Amino acid sequence: MLWIARLSGFFSAAMVMIVLSPSLQSFPPAEAIKSSQTDSYLRLNAPTESSDVLNRFSFRKAAVFHNADECRSLTLGKSGLCDPSLVHVAITLDVEYLRGSIAAVHSILQHSKCPESVFFHFLVSEPGLETLVRSTFPELKFKVYFFDPERVRSLISTSVRQALEQPLNYARNYLADLLEPCVRRVIYLDSDLVLVDDISKLWNTSLGKKTIGAPEYCHANFTKYFTEYFWSNRRYPGVFSGRNPCYFNTGVMVIDLVKWRRFGYTRRIERWMEIQKTSPSRIYELGSLPPFLLVFSGHVAPIEHRWNQHGLGGDNVKGSCRDLHHGPVSLLHWSGSGKPWLRLDSKQPCPLDSLWAPYDLYGNL
C-alpha cells in the first residue's frame, strides 16, 4: 500500500493528507529469518529469549502489507537477505524505546510501495524481543543481531542525558561488523521516528563517492558540539582542515557498508571516543554524535531535509513542544528528550504527537 504525505510551513497542529495507491497485488510472504549462528565477536554469548519482555508489553498484530503490481516478486530462497533487490533497514530494539521502534517499522510498511522487499536488521542487547516482533509482524522479513554492551561500555562518556549513555545507542558504529558482508548498503534509523513517505526513495539516494548520506544543517552553530578545551587545543581542530563541517543528525543515515569496511570507520570513531576518555578535559558532551561529526562532518552526501524533520522531542533537558521546519516532510523525528508515546500516555501531548499516534500498535483496541 502506497501512502504519500506532505506537510509544509511552520505550524503547531498539522494534518496529513494521505493518498491511497490503486491496484495492489499480493505475493506469497517469505518466512521471517531467524538469527543464524554467530560469526563475529559482537554476536557471541547472546542471551536466550525470556518471557519477561513478552509479559511486559502487548502489541496488536499489524495488518499485512503486500507489494504493488510493479514490484518485483520476491521470495527469500537461496539468496536470502543477500538478494540485491532488498531495501535494508537497521533499527535498535530495547525495552525503553520498543514502542517507538514498533511504530517506526509500522510506518515504513504502511507507506512503502514494495513492503515485502524491505528487510529489517534489528540490533538488541537483551532477550525476548525477537518473539515479540514476530508476533506483531508475522510476515516481516527480519533478522535479529545481538550487540554485546561490553564491546563499547568502557568507551562511553557521561552525557547531558542518561539515555545517550546506553551502549545500544552506539550499535550504529558497528553495523559493518554485525551485518553480513553481502549487505552493501543500509539505512540506519532511530527508534523515535515515523516515515510518511516511501522508504525506497531514501534508499535510492546517490551517495556519490561518500560513505554516508544524511540531511545536513550548515546554518547550525557547529562549534557548540565540542568543548572550549577541544577548540583551544592545538591538535584537535585541525581534524576539520580542508573540510566544510556541518551538523548532521545520526538518527537517519544511508550508509555504504563497502566503503565503511574498506576505510575502517568503526576504528576511527572508537579512536575519538578513546581520546575523550583519556584527555585531561572533555572534548565533547553529547553522547554518540560528536565522534561521528569528527569523522564524517564535511564528508557527508547531502540528503533532502524532508528525510529528517528532527527535534520534535524538544531539547535534551525540557523536551518542550516544537513546530515543523519549513518545507515538505517525508520523515518525522522526535529527537530530544520528549517522546510522543510518553507525552500521549501522560495526557500532555504536543500538537505534533498526534502524527505519531496512528502508527502506535501498543495495547489492545
Side-chain angles (χ1 to χ4, degrees), residues 110-167:
Q110 190 162 306
H111 292 285
S112 176
K113 181 192 298 183
C114 307
E116 293 176 277
S117 299
V118 182
F119 195 100
F120 291 89
H121 304 263
F122 295 119
L123 314 178
V124 306
S125 292
E126 54 197 311
L129 300 177
E130 182 174 340
T131 299
L132 192 149
V133 171
R134 190 176 295 111
S135 64
T136 306
F137 303 102
E139 301 185 28
L140 190 72
K141 296 178 177 68
F142 74 93
K143 186 172 180 178
V144 172
Y145 303 77
F146 176 70
F147 177 73
D148 187 350
E150 298 308 314
R151 174 70 186 266
V152 73
R153 196 184 303 277
S154 64
L155 297 174
I156 298 175
S157 303
T158 56
S159 183
V160 294
R161 206 169 89 236
Q162 189 174 8
L164 300 178
E165 301 172 21
Q166 300 306 309

Short mmCIF file of all heavy atoms in Angstrom, two decimals, residues 110-167:
data_model
loop_
_atom_site.label_atom_id
_atom_site.label_comp_id
_atom_site.label_asym_id
_atom_site.label_seq_id
_atom_site.Cartn_x
_atom_site.Cartn_y
_atom_site.Cartn_z
N GLN A 110 3.66 0.70 6.00
CA GLN A 110 2.41 1.32 5.57
C GLN A 110 2.60 2.24 4.38
O GLN A 110 1.72 2.37 3.54
CB GLN A 110 1.81 2.10 6.76
CG GLN A 110 0.40 2.59 6.53
CD GLN A 110 -0.28 2.95 7.84
OE1 GLN A 110 -0.34 2.13 8.76
NE2 GLN A 110 -0.77 4.16 7.93
N HIS A 111 3.75 2.87 4.28
CA HIS A 111 3.98 3.85 3.22
C HIS A 111 4.86 3.32 2.08
O HIS A 111 5.17 4.06 1.15
CB HIS A 111 4.62 5.11 3.80
CG HIS A 111 3.70 5.87 4.70
ND1 HIS A 111 2.66 6.65 4.24
CD2 HIS A 111 3.65 5.96 6.05
CE1 HIS A 111 2.02 7.18 5.25
NE2 HIS A 111 2.59 6.78 6.37
N SER A 112 5.24 2.07 2.17
CA SER A 112 6.11 1.50 1.14
C SER A 112 5.30 0.91 -0.01
O SER A 112 4.33 0.19 0.21
CB SER A 112 7.00 0.42 1.75
OG SER A 112 7.79 -0.20 0.77
N LYS A 113 5.72 1.20 -1.23
CA LYS A 113 5.10 0.60 -2.40
C LYS A 113 5.42 -0.89 -2.47
O LYS A 113 4.62 -1.70 -2.94
CB LYS A 113 5.60 1.27 -3.67
CG LYS A 113 4.98 0.73 -4.95
CD LYS A 113 5.70 1.24 -6.19
CE LYS A 113 5.62 2.75 -6.30
NZ LYS A 113 6.27 3.24 -7.55
N CYS A 114 6.62 -1.27 -1.98
CA CYS A 114 7.07 -2.66 -2.02
C CYS A 114 7.47 -3.13 -0.62
O CYS A 114 8.66 -3.40 -0.37
CB CYS A 114 8.24 -2.82 -3.00
SG CYS A 114 7.93 -2.18 -4.66
N PRO A 115 6.53 -3.21 0.31
CA PRO A 115 6.88 -3.54 1.70
C PRO A 115 7.51 -4.92 1.85
O PRO A 115 8.28 -5.14 2.79
CB PRO A 115 5.54 -3.46 2.43
CG PRO A 115 4.52 -3.66 1.36
CD PRO A 115 5.09 -3.03 0.13
N GLU A 116 7.20 -5.85 0.95
CA GLU A 116 7.78 -7.19 1.04
C GLU A 116 9.25 -7.22 0.62
O GLU A 116 9.93 -8.23 0.78
CB GLU A 116 6.98 -8.16 0.19
CG GLU A 116 5.56 -8.39 0.71
CD GLU A 116 4.75 -9.29 -0.21
OE1 GLU A 116 4.19 -8.79 -1.19
OE2 GLU A 116 4.69 -10.50 0.09
N SER A 117 9.71 -6.10 0.08
CA SER A 117 11.11 -6.00 -0.34
C SER A 117 11.96 -5.24 0.67
O SER A 117 13.11 -4.91 0.39
CB SER A 117 11.19 -5.31 -1.71
OG SER A 117 10.50 -6.06 -2.69
N VAL A 118 11.39 -4.95 1.83
CA VAL A 118 12.14 -4.28 2.89
C VAL A 118 12.59 -5.32 3.91
O VAL A 118 11.78 -6.10 4.41
CB VAL A 118 11.29 -3.20 3.60
CG1 VAL A 118 12.11 -2.50 4.67
CG2 VAL A 118 10.75 -2.19 2.59
N PHE A 119 13.87 -5.34 4.18
CA PHE A 119 14.44 -6.30 5.14
C PHE A 119 14.97 -5.51 6.35
O PHE A 119 15.77 -4.59 6.20
CB PHE A 119 15.58 -7.10 4.51
CG PHE A 119 15.96 -8.32 5.30
CD1 PHE A 119 15.50 -9.57 4.94
CD2 PHE A 119 16.76 -8.21 6.43
CE1 PHE A 119 15.84 -10.70 5.69
CE2 PHE A 119 17.10 -9.32 7.18
CZ PHE A 119 16.64 -10.58 6.81
N PHE A 120 14.52 -5.92 7.54
CA PHE A 120 14.89 -5.22 8.77
C PHE A 120 15.98 -5.98 9.51
O PHE A 120 15.92 -7.19 9.70
CB PHE A 120 13.67 -5.06 9.68
CG PHE A 120 12.64 -4.11 9.14
CD1 PHE A 120 11.63 -4.56 8.29
CD2 PHE A 120 12.70 -2.75 9.44
CE1 PHE A 120 10.69 -3.68 7.78
CE2 PHE A 120 11.76 -1.87 8.94
CZ PHE A 120 10.75 -2.33 8.10
N HIS A 121 16.98 -5.22 9.96
CA HIS A 121 18.06 -5.74 10.79
C HIS A 121 17.91 -5.11 12.17
O HIS A 121 18.16 -3.91 12.34
CB HIS A 121 19.42 -5.38 10.18
CG HIS A 121 19.60 -5.86 8.77
ND1 HIS A 121 20.24 -7.03 8.44
CD2 HIS A 121 19.19 -5.32 7.60
CE1 HIS A 121 20.24 -7.20 7.13
NE2 HIS A 121 19.61 -6.17 6.59
N PHE A 122 17.50 -5.91 13.15
CA PHE A 122 17.25 -5.40 14.49
C PHE A 122 18.45 -5.67 15.39
O PHE A 122 18.90 -6.81 15.50
CB PHE A 122 15.99 -6.02 15.09
CG PHE A 122 14.73 -5.67 14.37
CD1 PHE A 122 13.93 -6.64 13.78
CD2 PHE A 122 14.33 -4.34 14.28
CE1 PHE A 122 12.77 -6.31 13.12
CE2 PHE A 122 13.16 -3.99 13.62
CZ PHE A 122 12.38 -4.97 13.03
N LEU A 123 18.94 -4.63 16.05
CA LEU A 123 20.07 -4.74 16.95
C LEU A 123 19.57 -4.76 18.38
O LEU A 123 18.84 -3.84 18.79
CB LEU A 123 21.03 -3.56 16.74
CG LEU A 123 21.37 -3.21 15.28
CD1 LEU A 123 22.28 -1.99 15.22
CD2 LEU A 123 21.99 -4.38 14.57
N VAL A 124 19.93 -5.78 19.14
CA VAL A 124 19.42 -5.94 20.50
C VAL A 124 20.56 -6.22 21.47
O VAL A 124 21.61 -6.70 21.08
CB VAL A 124 18.37 -7.07 20.59
CG1 VAL A 124 17.26 -6.87 19.57
CG2 VAL A 124 19.02 -8.43 20.39
N SER A 125 20.29 -5.93 22.75
CA SER A 125 21.23 -6.28 23.82
C SER A 125 20.54 -7.04 24.93
O SER A 125 21.11 -7.23 26.01
CB SER A 125 21.89 -5.01 24.39
OG SER A 125 22.73 -4.41 23.44
N GLU A 126 19.31 -7.49 24.69
CA GLU A 126 18.56 -8.21 25.70
C GLU A 126 17.65 -9.23 25.02
O GLU A 126 17.29 -9.07 23.85
CB GLU A 126 17.74 -7.25 26.57
CG GLU A 126 16.84 -6.33 25.76
CD GLU A 126 16.38 -5.14 26.58
OE1 GLU A 126 15.91 -5.35 27.71
OE2 GLU A 126 16.47 -4.02 26.08
N PRO A 127 17.26 -10.29 25.73
CA PRO A 127 16.46 -11.35 25.14
C PRO A 127 14.98 -11.01 25.07
O PRO A 127 14.51 -10.07 25.70
CB PRO A 127 16.71 -12.53 26.08
CG PRO A 127 16.91 -11.87 27.41
CD PRO A 127 17.65 -10.58 27.12
N GLY A 128 14.23 -11.80 24.32
CA GLY A 128 12.78 -11.73 24.32
C GLY A 128 12.16 -10.91 23.21
O GLY A 128 10.96 -10.98 22.99
N LEU A 129 12.97 -10.12 22.52
CA LEU A 129 12.39 -9.16 21.59
C LEU A 129 12.08 -9.76 20.22
O LEU A 129 11.19 -9.29 19.51
CB LEU A 129 13.33 -7.96 21.43
CG LEU A 129 13.59 -7.20 22.73
CD1 LEU A 129 14.59 -6.07 22.51
CD2 LEU A 129 12.30 -6.64 23.30
N GLU A 130 12.80 -10.80 19.83
CA GLU A 130 12.56 -11.42 18.54
C GLU A 130 11.16 -12.00 18.45
O GLU A 130 10.44 -11.83 17.46
CB GLU A 130 13.60 -12.50 18.27
CG GLU A 130 13.45 -13.17 16.91
CD GLU A 130 14.57 -14.14 16.61
OE1 GLU A 130 15.64 -14.04 17.25
OE2 GLU A 130 14.39 -15.00 15.74
N THR A 131 10.74 -12.69 19.50
CA THR A 131 9.40 -13.29 19.53
C THR A 131 8.33 -12.21 19.47
O THR A 131 7.31 -12.35 18.80
CB THR A 131 9.23 -14.13 20.80
OG1 THR A 131 10.20 -15.18 20.80
CG2 THR A 131 7.83 -14.72 20.88
N LEU A 132 8.58 -11.10 20.16
CA LEU A 132 7.61 -10.01 20.17
C LEU A 132 7.45 -9.39 18.78
O LEU A 132 6.33 -9.12 18.33
CB LEU A 132 8.05 -8.95 21.18
CG LEU A 132 7.03 -7.88 21.54
CD1 LEU A 132 7.26 -7.41 22.97
CD2 LEU A 132 7.13 -6.68 20.61
N VAL A 133 8.56 -9.20 18.09
CA VAL A 133 8.50 -8.65 16.72
C VAL A 133 7.72 -9.59 15.82
O VAL A 133 6.86 -9.17 15.03
CB VAL A 133 9.91 -8.41 16.17
CG1 VAL A 133 9.86 -8.06 14.67
CG2 VAL A 133 10.61 -7.28 16.93
N ARG A 134 8.01 -10.89 15.91
CA ARG A 134 7.36 -11.85 15.02
C ARG A 134 5.86 -11.93 15.29
O ARG A 134 5.07 -12.13 14.36
CB ARG A 134 8.01 -13.23 15.18
CG ARG A 134 7.54 -14.23 14.12
CD ARG A 134 8.26 -15.57 14.22
NE ARG A 134 9.68 -15.41 13.92
CZ ARG A 134 10.65 -15.53 14.82
NH1 ARG A 134 10.33 -15.75 16.09
NH2 ARG A 134 11.90 -15.39 14.49
N SER A 135 5.46 -11.79 16.54
CA SER A 135 4.03 -11.85 16.85
C SER A 135 3.30 -10.60 16.39
O SER A 135 2.11 -10.65 16.08
CB SER A 135 3.82 -12.05 18.36
OG SER A 135 4.31 -10.94 19.11
N THR A 136 4.01 -9.48 16.34
CA THR A 136 3.39 -8.22 15.90
C THR A 136 3.38 -8.11 14.38
O THR A 136 2.41 -7.61 13.79
CB THR A 136 4.16 -7.01 16.49
OG1 THR A 136 4.25 -7.16 17.91
CG2 THR A 136 3.45 -5.70 16.17
N PHE A 137 4.45 -8.57 13.75
CA PHE A 137 4.57 -8.54 12.28
C PHE A 137 4.88 -9.96 11.79
O PHE A 137 6.03 -10.29 11.48
CB PHE A 137 5.69 -7.59 11.85
CG PHE A 137 5.55 -6.18 12.34
CD1 PHE A 137 6.30 -5.71 13.42
CD2 PHE A 137 4.67 -5.29 11.72
CE1 PHE A 137 6.19 -4.41 13.86
CE2 PHE A 137 4.54 -3.99 12.17
CZ PHE A 137 5.30 -3.54 13.24
N PRO A 138 3.86 -10.84 11.72
CA PRO A 138 4.11 -12.26 11.42
C PRO A 138 4.80 -12.52 10.08
O PRO A 138 5.46 -13.54 9.91
CB PRO A 138 2.69 -12.86 11.42
CG PRO A 138 1.88 -11.92 12.25
CD PRO A 138 2.44 -10.57 12.00
N GLU A 139 4.65 -11.63 9.13
CA GLU A 139 5.21 -11.86 7.80
C GLU A 139 6.37 -10.92 7.47
O GLU A 139 6.77 -10.79 6.32
CB GLU A 139 4.10 -11.74 6.75
CG GLU A 139 2.98 -12.73 7.01
CD GLU A 139 1.92 -12.73 5.93
OE1 GLU A 139 2.25 -12.41 4.77
OE2 GLU A 139 0.76 -13.05 6.25
N LEU A 140 6.92 -10.30 8.49
CA LEU A 140 8.02 -9.37 8.30
C LEU A 140 9.30 -10.11 7.96
O LEU A 140 9.59 -11.17 8.52
CB LEU A 140 8.23 -8.55 9.58
CG LEU A 140 9.19 -7.35 9.49
CD1 LEU A 140 8.56 -6.23 8.68
CD2 LEU A 140 9.56 -6.86 10.88
N LYS A 141 10.08 -9.56 7.06
CA LYS A 141 11.41 -10.09 6.76
C LYS A 141 12.40 -9.39 7.69
O LYS A 141 12.60 -8.18 7.59
CB LYS A 141 11.77 -9.84 5.30
CG LYS A 141 10.87 -10.56 4.29
CD LYS A 141 11.26 -10.23 2.87
CE LYS A 141 10.42 -11.01 1.89
NZ LYS A 141 8.99 -10.60 1.91
N PHE A 142 13.03 -10.16 8.57
CA PHE A 142 13.93 -9.53 9.53
C PHE A 142 14.93 -10.53 10.08
O PHE A 142 14.79 -11.75 9.94
CB PHE A 142 13.14 -8.90 10.69
CG PHE A 142 12.56 -9.88 11.68
CD1 PHE A 142 13.25 -10.23 12.83
CD2 PHE A 142 11.29 -10.44 11.46
CE1 PHE A 142 12.71 -11.13 13.74
CE2 PHE A 142 10.75 -11.33 12.37
CZ PHE A 142 11.46 -11.67 13.52
N LYS A 143 15.94 -9.99 10.71
CA LYS A 143 16.94 -10.78 11.42
C LYS A 143 17.35 -10.00 12.66
O LYS A 143 17.42 -8.77 12.64
CB LYS A 143 18.15 -11.04 10.52
CG LYS A 143 19.19 -11.99 11.12
CD LYS A 143 20.24 -12.34 10.08
CE LYS A 143 21.29 -13.28 10.66
NZ LYS A 143 22.30 -13.68 9.65
N VAL A 144 17.62 -10.70 13.73
CA VAL A 144 18.00 -10.07 15.00
C VAL A 144 19.48 -10.33 15.26
O VAL A 144 19.96 -11.45 15.11
CB VAL A 144 17.14 -10.62 16.16
CG1 VAL A 144 17.66 -10.10 17.49
CG2 VAL A 144 15.69 -10.21 15.97
N TYR A 145 20.19 -9.29 15.66
CA TYR A 145 21.62 -9.37 15.92
C TYR A 145 21.89 -8.95 17.37
O TYR A 145 21.42 -7.89 17.80
CB TYR A 145 22.41 -8.43 15.00
CG TYR A 145 22.19 -8.66 13.53
CD1 TYR A 145 21.03 -8.21 12.91
CD2 TYR A 145 23.15 -9.30 12.76
CE1 TYR A 145 20.83 -8.41 11.55
CE2 TYR A 145 22.95 -9.51 11.39
CZ TYR A 145 21.78 -9.06 10.80
OH TYR A 145 21.59 -9.26 9.46
N PHE A 146 22.62 -9.75 18.08
CA PHE A 146 22.97 -9.40 19.46
C PHE A 146 24.20 -8.49 19.45
O PHE A 146 25.25 -8.82 18.89
CB PHE A 146 23.27 -10.65 20.28
CG PHE A 146 23.74 -10.34 21.67
CD1 PHE A 146 22.87 -9.81 22.62
CD2 PHE A 146 25.06 -10.56 22.05
CE1 PHE A 146 23.30 -9.51 23.90
CE2 PHE A 146 25.50 -10.27 23.33
CZ PHE A 146 24.62 -9.75 24.25
N PHE A 147 24.06 -7.34 20.09
CA PHE A 147 25.17 -6.41 20.26
C PHE A 147 25.63 -6.48 21.71
O PHE A 147 24.87 -6.16 22.63
CB PHE A 147 24.75 -4.98 19.90
CG PHE A 147 25.83 -3.96 20.14
CD1 PHE A 147 26.93 -3.90 19.30
CD2 PHE A 147 25.76 -3.08 21.22
CE1 PHE A 147 27.95 -2.98 19.53
CE2 PHE A 147 26.76 -2.16 21.44
CZ PHE A 147 27.85 -2.11 20.59
N ASP A 148 26.85 -6.89 21.92
CA ASP A 148 27.41 -7.04 23.26
C ASP A 148 27.73 -5.66 23.85
O ASP A 148 28.62 -4.98 23.34
CB ASP A 148 28.66 -7.89 23.20
CG ASP A 148 29.20 -8.25 24.58
OD1 ASP A 148 28.71 -7.68 25.58
OD2 ASP A 148 30.12 -9.08 24.66
N PRO A 149 27.04 -5.25 24.91
CA PRO A 149 27.30 -3.92 25.50
C PRO A 149 28.75 -3.74 25.96
O PRO A 149 29.25 -2.62 25.99
CB PRO A 149 26.34 -3.87 26.69
CG PRO A 149 25.28 -4.87 26.37
CD PRO A 149 25.96 -5.96 25.60
N GLU A 150 29.41 -4.85 26.30
CA GLU A 150 30.78 -4.75 26.79
C GLU A 150 31.75 -4.30 25.70
O GLU A 150 32.85 -3.82 26.00
CB GLU A 150 31.23 -6.09 27.38
CG GLU A 150 30.41 -6.54 28.59
CD GLU A 150 30.32 -5.45 29.65
OE1 GLU A 150 31.37 -4.85 29.97
OE2 GLU A 150 29.21 -5.21 30.16
N ARG A 151 31.35 -4.45 24.45
CA ARG A 151 32.24 -4.03 23.35
C ARG A 151 32.51 -2.53 23.41
O ARG A 151 33.57 -2.05 22.99
CB ARG A 151 31.58 -4.40 22.01
CG ARG A 151 32.32 -3.89 20.77
CD ARG A 151 33.63 -4.63 20.57
NE ARG A 151 34.42 -4.07 19.46
CZ ARG A 151 34.39 -4.51 18.22
NH1 ARG A 151 33.60 -5.51 17.89
NH2 ARG A 151 35.16 -3.96 17.30
N VAL A 152 31.56 -1.77 23.94
CA VAL A 152 31.68 -0.31 23.87
C VAL A 152 31.58 0.37 25.23
O VAL A 152 31.89 1.54 25.36
CB VAL A 152 30.60 0.25 22.92
CG1 VAL A 152 29.21 0.19 23.56
CG2 VAL A 152 30.91 1.66 22.47
N ARG A 153 31.19 -0.37 26.26
CA ARG A 153 30.90 0.25 27.55
C ARG A 153 32.06 1.09 28.09
O ARG A 153 31.88 2.19 28.60
CB ARG A 153 30.51 -0.82 28.58
CG ARG A 153 29.83 -0.24 29.81
CD ARG A 153 29.54 -1.31 30.84
NE ARG A 153 28.72 -2.39 30.33
CZ ARG A 153 27.40 -2.34 30.26
NH1 ARG A 153 26.76 -1.25 30.63
NH2 ARG A 153 26.72 -3.38 29.79
N SER A 154 33.27 0.57 27.96
CA SER A 154 34.43 1.28 28.52
C SER A 154 34.77 2.54 27.74
O SER A 154 35.54 3.38 28.22
CB SER A 154 35.64 0.35 28.55
OG SER A 154 36.03 -0.01 27.23
N LEU A 155 34.21 2.71 26.55
CA LEU A 155 34.49 3.88 25.73
C LEU A 155 33.47 5.00 25.92
O LEU A 155 33.68 6.12 25.45
CB LEU A 155 34.52 3.49 24.25
CG LEU A 155 35.60 2.49 23.82
CD1 LEU A 155 35.39 2.11 22.35
CD2 LEU A 155 36.98 3.08 24.03
N ILE A 156 32.37 4.71 26.59
CA ILE A 156 31.27 5.67 26.71
C ILE A 156 31.55 6.69 27.81
O ILE A 156 31.91 6.33 28.93
CB ILE A 156 29.94 4.95 26.98
CG1 ILE A 156 29.60 4.02 25.81
CG2 ILE A 156 28.81 5.95 27.20
CD1 ILE A 156 28.37 3.17 26.04
N SER A 157 31.34 7.95 27.49
CA SER A 157 31.46 9.03 28.47
C SER A 157 30.08 9.46 28.94
O SER A 157 29.08 9.25 28.24
CB SER A 157 32.18 10.23 27.84
OG SER A 157 33.44 9.87 27.34
N THR A 158 30.02 10.06 30.11
CA THR A 158 28.75 10.61 30.58
C THR A 158 28.27 11.69 29.63
O THR A 158 29.05 12.35 28.95
CB THR A 158 28.91 11.21 31.99
OG1 THR A 158 29.96 12.19 31.96
CG2 THR A 158 29.26 10.13 33.00
N SER A 159 26.95 11.86 29.58
CA SER A 159 26.36 12.79 28.63
C SER A 159 25.33 13.66 29.32
O SER A 159 25.03 13.49 30.51
CB SER A 159 25.73 12.02 27.46
OG SER A 159 25.22 12.90 26.48
N VAL A 160 24.74 14.59 28.55
CA VAL A 160 23.75 15.50 29.12
C VAL A 160 22.44 14.79 29.43
O VAL A 160 21.61 15.29 30.17
CB VAL A 160 23.47 16.67 28.15
CG1 VAL A 160 24.69 17.55 27.99
CG2 VAL A 160 23.00 16.16 26.79
N ARG A 161 22.25 13.58 28.85
CA ARG A 161 21.05 12.80 29.09
C ARG A 161 21.44 11.35 29.23
O ARG A 161 22.19 10.82 28.42
CB ARG A 161 20.06 12.99 27.93
CG ARG A 161 18.62 12.78 28.33
CD ARG A 161 17.66 13.22 27.24
NE ARG A 161 17.35 12.17 26.30
CZ ARG A 161 17.52 12.24 25.00
NH1 ARG A 161 18.01 13.33 24.46
NH2 ARG A 161 17.20 11.24 24.21
N GLN A 162 20.93 10.68 30.27
CA GLN A 162 21.35 9.32 30.56
C GLN A 162 21.05 8.37 29.41
O GLN A 162 21.82 7.43 29.16
CB GLN A 162 20.68 8.82 31.84
CG GLN A 162 21.23 7.49 32.32
CD GLN A 162 20.66 7.08 33.66
OE1 GLN A 162 19.74 7.71 34.18
NE2 GLN A 162 21.20 6.03 34.24
N ALA A 163 19.96 8.61 28.69
CA ALA A 163 19.60 7.74 27.57
C ALA A 163 20.69 7.70 26.51
O ALA A 163 20.87 6.70 25.82
CB ALA A 163 18.28 8.20 26.95
N LEU A 164 21.46 8.79 26.40
CA LEU A 164 22.51 8.86 25.39
C LEU A 164 23.74 8.06 25.80
O LEU A 164 24.66 7.89 24.99
CB LEU A 164 22.91 10.33 25.17
CG LEU A 164 21.79 11.26 24.69
CD1 LEU A 164 22.31 12.68 24.54
CD2 LEU A 164 21.20 10.77 23.37
N GLU A 165 23.76 7.55 27.03
CA GLU A 165 24.90 6.78 27.52
C GLU A 165 24.71 5.28 27.37
O GLU A 165 25.61 4.50 27.67
CB GLU A 165 25.15 7.11 29.00
CG GLU A 165 25.42 8.58 29.28
CD GLU A 165 25.46 8.89 30.76
OE1 GLU A 165 25.68 7.94 31.56
OE2 GLU A 165 25.26 10.05 31.14
N GLN A 166 23.53 4.84 26.91
CA GLN A 166 23.27 3.42 26.79
C GLN A 166 24.10 2.79 25.68
O GLN A 166 24.18 3.34 24.57
CB GLN A 166 21.78 3.18 26.52
CG GLN A 166 20.87 3.72 27.61
CD GLN A 166 21.26 3.19 28.98
OE1 GLN A 166 21.42 1.99 29.18
NE2 GLN A 166 21.41 4.10 29.95
N PRO A 167 24.74 1.64 25.94
CA PRO A 167 25.60 1.02 24.92
C PRO A 167 24.92 0.79 23.58
O PRO A 167 25.54 0.95 22.53
CB PRO A 167 25.99 -0.31 25.58
CG PRO A 167 25.96 -0.03 27.05
CD PRO A 167 24.80 0.92 27.22
#
